[in-house]
Amino acid sequence: MTPSSRRPGKGNPAGPDAPSRRALLSAGFAGVALGGCALLPETGGPDLRIVYNRAAGSHGPDRNPIIVIPGILGSRLVDMSTRQTIWGAFDRSAAQPGNAADIRKIALPLQGFIGERPAADHVMPDGVLDRVVVRLAGIPIEMQQYAQILATLGAGGYRDPALGLGGIDYGDDHFTCFQFPYDWRRDNAENAGELKRFMDDRRVYLAEQYRLRFGVERDPSTIRFDVVTHSMGALLFRYFLRYGDQPLVEDGPAPSLDWSGASYVGRAILVAPPNAGSALSLKYLVEGQDLGRPVLPFYAPAILGTYPSAYQLLPHGPAPALFTGGAARQPISDLYDPDLWQSHRWGLSDPGQGPVIAAILPDEMDPEARARIAMQRQAVLLKRARRFHAALDAPAATPPGLEAFLVVGDSLATDAAYAIGPEGRLVRTLTLPGDGTVTRANALFDTRTDDNWSPEVQSPLRFRSTLLLSGEHIRLTRSSVFKDNVLYWLLEEPRESAGATTAL
C-alpha cells in the first residue's frame, strides 16, 4: 500500500454531547444503515471556502466534473406508477415493510426473471438521499446523509442543479457535479451498466455546456470524471472500471477484464468501501435490519434476502467471518454455500419468514411451493455473489491515467466474526477497528492473517494515498480533515499522468 496519512483536525470533530443529541441517539437514530445522523454541525476546522477559493473558481473545461455514487440505501426509491416513496421518507404515506402490499414493492420479485435478473417493476431511483426527515412526537427531525459530501464539493465549486432546493449554496453555474442515483436493491454489476449509460449521457451534456459557455469544442469521449464513492457504491464503481457494462452471465464465462470503464475516470475517492465485505451484511441477511424502531422501520430477512446487492456485501477476505458453534469452533470458509443457509434456516430459508414470503408471492397459494421458490432464489443469489466477488478480487494493475484515493475509519469496534449459536442465531465473537460497519482490514482488503502476518499491509489494491479517520461509517464525511483532504486531492494535488500507483 502507499503511505497513509492522518492529518490533524482542529476543534472537536464529534461536536458537543448536547442533551437533545443524547435523546435522539437513545431513540435509535444511531442505527440508521447509512451510517448515523449528522445532527449537529462540526466545530472547528479550516474555512474551506477561503482555503480553496481560487482553485474552486477555476471550473472550466480543464477541470474534471464530479460524480457522487452513494452506498446501499443511499438513493431515494419511488414507485413511479403511484409516486409513493418506497425508501427515503419515513411517514405514513411511505411504503411500510410490515404491510403486505408494500412488502411487494420493497422486495424484489422472486419470480419472472430474465436469466438471473429480477423482473422489472415500477420502482425507480429518484435522487441521492442527501438528507432524511422523520417525525418524532410530531416534531420533524432532519438527519443529514450525503449532504455532507455534496456540501464539501459545493465549497470546491462543484455545483449540482438537482440540489438547488436542498439548502446548499452551489452558486450559479450548475453543470459540474452529478449524483448517480441507482436502485441499490439490484445487482451491482447491473448498476455498473446503468453507471456507464449515466456517464455517456453526462459526457454529451458537458460537451454542449463547454461549447456554449466557453466556446470550446470537446469530443464527449475525451471527457473524464472524478468520482467520489461511499460504501457499496465503491463496489459497483470498481466493477464498472474493470468491466464497463459487461454483465455477469449465468453459468457462462467470466466477464473480460478490459478496463473499459477506466477511460471515463481521472481520479477516484473511495470512502469506507467494503472491499472485502462487511460481517454486518451476514447478520442482517440472517436476522433482518432494525433501522430504529418504532420510529424507523424493520426490514425482515426475507425482504433483504431478495436483494442481490445484499449478498454482494458478504465478507470474503482471507480471515474467516463465521465459525461453528460450541466449544470447538471451526471456521466456515464458504459463505456462498446454499446448504449452509438452508440447514440453519437463514433468510429466505427461514420458515418463520413464511408470511413475508407469502406477501412477496401472492399468486402462489401453496406454502411449500413458496418456500421452494424462495430457497431456489437464495441459492442463485449466493452463486451470483460468489462470481461478483471473484470478478472484483482478481489482481490487476489499473491502466495509466487513473488515480485512486482511499478513506478508512479505524476508531470504532466493528463486528468482524460470528459463531453460529442456538437456533442458527449469530453470536459476535470478534470485533476489529473500523467505522462501525466496515473494518479497517476489509476496507484496505488487508490479506494478512496470524499465519502470514507482516508489518506492512498486504493487499491486492493500491491507492495513491490513504486517509485514516476516526468516525462512524458516513460520519467520516463530517470531519474537517476529510473535507480538507478531499478538496486538496480534487483541486490542488498535482496529477500523475502515468497512473502507476493504483490497482483496483
Side-chain angles (χ1 to χ4, degrees), residues 52-60 63 155-159 173 214 491:
Y52 296 102
N53 184 56
R54 291 191 67 179
S58 303
H59 52 81
R63 190 172 80 179
Y158 299 97
R159 302 175 174 94
D173 296 328
F214 305 107
L491 295 174

Side-chain angles (χ1 to χ4, degrees), residues 273 277-279 408-409 414-416 431-444:
S278 169
V408 177
T414 304
D415 286 14
T431 61
L432 292 173
D435 61 21
T437 298
V438 181
T439 65
R440 178 185 191 268
N442 281 5
L444 294 167

Side-chain angles (χ1 to χ4, degrees), residues 156-202:
Y158 299 97
R159 302 175 174 94
D160 184 353
L163 293 180
L165 300 178
I168 302 173
D169 180 11
Y170 281 86
D172 298 324
D173 296 328
H174 302 303
F175 73 101
T176 56
C177 179
F178 308 97
Q179 308 167 69
F180 173 61
Y182 61 97
D183 187 342
W184 39 262
R185 304 171 304 165
R186 293 182 175 267
D187 175 68
N188 279 307
E190 178 183 340
N191 279 320
E194 294 297 326
L195 176 61
K196 180 182 183 299
R197 287 181 280 277
F198 180 89
M199 287 185 167
D200 284 336
D201 288 344
R202 298 314 181 273

